[in-house]
Amino acid sequence: MVRLIDGKGLAQKMQAELAEKVTRLKEKEGLVPGLVVILVGENPASQVYVRNKERSAKKAGFFSETVRLSADISQKELLDVVDQYNRDDRFHGILVQLPLPDHIDEEEVVLAIDPTKDVDGFHHVNTGRLWSGKPAMIPCTPAGIMKMFAVYGVDLEGKNAVVVGRSNIVGKPMAALLLEANATVTSTHSRTKNLADITKTADILVVAIGRSKFITADYVKPGAVVIDVGMNRDENGKLSGDVDFEAVKPIADLITPVPGGVGPMTITMLLEQTYEAALATLK
Ligand code: GUN
């Protein structure tokens, strides 16, 4: 019988627990975790994400600020804003919402963030530490997926894990985390030949390719754990995943729905990581 992974419920529980930890930290140490989210321009999806991050941070009792900058800001001006928050002790986490406008060098901006405040885990110091098996700030979506594996008792040791998609935000860090957990990992992507032959070997299948309902029953081994990172909107605004949920559900052992699966865990891990960054300043 398939079990659904209730990402929404888990996220609510974790955020409520985090709010209590934040209250205690305030009382005991006088320390309030601070998060600044920097948004450049008016990308509609980014505006929604940023509003949700701001709302969740405030609800958890964080010191939260959102900086909204004009789409025609110069590279130098944006780097100056990042530097201002690097030097501001009230903020333990800095998140620059991506994508940035075309005239901005995104990599230079990410690398300007103090790696100890890089709660997205995109700075090369953190990606390097992750791939070296060292403690690091970890991109929030794969971090949330690892948390779901832990809570649902998914044993990764020695298992065949297949990751579909190789983005810096999800696919690559996901592969690194699964490898670190002693899974046997295969990274696949849009140029992979005979993809279904490979995904059918997966005990653990993580899909992050941004193509609605791409993974059908033919791609899935009976009894697999299927994690769907997709967030695709059709012409009517309805959300769908990268996995054909109804077709795959009868085959899988454990599966994430969309919405209510991976998505809500991403913000939760952002807050957790910001809380940890605040704690680290006490040491
Ligand atoms: N854009 C889409 N996903 C993300 C994310 O996880 N972090 C940031 N900074 N931008 C994003």
Side-chain angles (χ1 to χ4, degrees):
M1 210 18 212
V2 70
R3 283 190 298 153
L4 298 198
I5 297 185
D6 179 13
K8 190 174 169 193
L10 178 58
Q12 282 170 350
K13 180 166 168 279
M14 285 181 68
Q15 289 186 29
E17 285 168 5
L18 186 60
E20 286 173 21
K21 288 196 286 185
V22 169
T23 304
R24 284 200 294 277
L25 187 64
K26 256 183 234 176
E27 284 169 4
K28 274 181 79 178
E29 306 284 351
L31 180 63
V32 180
L35 173 68
V36 59
V37 177
I38 300 171
L39 173 65
V40 182
E42 285 166 12
N43 178 313
S46 291
Q47 285 179 327
V48 174
Y49 292 142
V50 165
R51 251 199 318 275
N52 288 340
K53 286 169 187 171
E54 190 178 20
R55 192 180 305 138
S56 302
K58 289 225 163 88
K59 204 166 160 205
F62 283 37
F63 178 52
S64 156
E65 198 167 298
T66 302
V67 185
R68 290 182 167 78
L69 301 168
S70 159
D72 62 9
I73 191 169
S74 72
Q75 180 83 14
K76 166 85 172 57
E77 285 168 322
L78 181 53
L79 291 172
D80 286 345
V81 172
V82 170
D83 190 49
Q84 175 196 327
Y85 286 97
N86 279 341
R87 287 184 283 106
D88 190 333
D89 293 342
R90 296 172 303 167
F91 294 96
H92 309 96
I94 302 173
L95 183 145
V96 179
Q97 186 66 28
L98 305 179
L100 292 169
D102 288 346
H103 70 280
I104 299 283
D105 177 347
E106 208 161 87
E107 184 170 67
E108 191 184 18
V109 174
V110 168
L111 296 183
I113 299 171
D114 177 340
T116 67
K117 296 189 177 189
D118 170 36
V119 282
D120 256 331
F122 294 165
H123 194 291
H124 293 176
V125 166
N126 284 313
T127 56
R129 291 183 67 86
L130 171 61
W131 281 100
S132 305
K134 295 281 185 296
M137 298 237 174
I138 295 167
C140 299
T141 299
I145 294 169
M146 293 304 283
K147 184 73 192 177
M148 294 198 286
F149 289 147
V151 169
Y152 280 81
V154 177
D155 179 20
L156 301 168
E157 177 111 7
K159 297 287 169 58
N160 283 342
V162 175
V163 181
V164 186
R166 56 170 156 181
S167 68
N168 290 331
I169 295 182
V170 183
K172 282 185 208 158
M174 188 76 249
L177 289 164
L178 288 163
L179 196 56
E180 199 52 32
N182 298 323
T184 302
V185 182
T186 307
S187 283
T188 67
H189 45 80
S190 56
R191 312 274 177 89
T192 297
K193 294 207 180 7
N194 304 323
L195 180 62
D197 290 346
I198 299 171
T199 56
K200 277 201 104 142
T201 68
D203 304 306
I204 318 284
L205 180 61
V206 181
V207 190
I209 43 169
R211 292 172 70 173
S212 179
K213 301 184 184 174
F214 181 81
I215 297 292
T216 54
D218 298 344
Y219 285 76
V220 180
K221 172 173 152 176
V225 175
V226 180
I227 305 292
D228 187 353
V229 183
M231 293 254 266
N232 311 292
R233 271 190 202 281
D234 69 13
E235 57 281 7
N236 303 318
K238 190 170 180 310
L239 205 58
S240 68
D242 292 348
V243 175
D244 184 343
F245 182 77
E246 291 305 327
V248 171
K249 199 167 64 164
I251 306 173
D253 244 18
L254 201 53
I255 187 168
T256 57
V258 175
V262 173
M265 288 299 291
T266 298
I267 291 184
T268 308
M269 300 317 286
L270 171 70
L271 300 180
E272 288 279 345
Q273 213 142 231
T274 305
Y275 173 79
E276 293 296 330
L279 278 191
T281 62
L282 292 173
K283 288 178 190 146

